[in-house]
Structure formats: structure tokens, C-alpha cells
Amino acid sequence: MRKVTLEEWIEKTPKRRRKKLPKTRPTPDWKLSDSIKYIKRRDKYLREEGILVKIGDKKWRLKV
């Protein structure tokens, strides 16, 4: 096995470049409001059917 000095090791190691993250567009407001409306309607339905049960001040449990 050949011994390598620190300088040789540093020279041979490739320079690691950070990958550029793809530029993403911000989520449109209508998409956010639709998802919030959907979650509220779903929770209301589950509460009416007795599936989502309140067990504390801010705690809920699925009764499955």
C-alpha cells in the first residue's frame, strides 16, 4: 500500500460544488385558500358524523 501525503490527497480530491436548487414558483393564493377550505369542510363533516371527537381544549381524536 502506497503512502500519500496530505498535499497529494488534497490535490486529488475533487472540488465539491453545491448543486443548484431548481427555482420554484411560490404557491398561488387561490391554491392555499382552496386547501384550507377543503380541510375545514372535511373536519366539519367528520365532527358531524362523530368520527372526529374533541378530547381537550385544542385536542381532537379520530374515533375509528
Side-chain angles (χ1 to χ4, degrees):
M1 185 175 219
R2 178 173 98 83
K3 290 185 180 180
V4 180
T5 63
L6 182 61
E7 289 78 22
E8 287 178 338
W9 180 261
I10 291 172
E11 289 173 3
K12 290 184 181 180
T13 56
K15 304 279 191 235
R16 292 187 183 173
R17 295 182 183 172
R18 288 178 87 183
K19 286 186 177 179
K20 289 186 178 178
L21 295 175
K23 293 182 180 178
T24 57
R25 293 183 181 165
T27 305
D29 291 338
W30 64 267
K31 211 171 196 179
L32 290 172
S33 65
D34 283 356
S35 63
I36 292 169
K37 288 174 188 174
Y38 169 77
I39 292 169
K40 286 184 177 181
R41 285 185 192 151
R42 181 194 63 192
D43 289 350
K44 182 180 176 185
Y45 170 77
L46 291 175
R47 274 187 249 123
E48 289 173 354
E49 294 296 316
I51 298 170
L52 193 62
V53 182
K54 192 170 188 173
I55 58 172
D57 188 30
K58 293 184 178 181
K59 294 182 181 180
W60 296 83
R61 177 175 62 91
L62 282 174
K63 186 179 178 183
V64 181

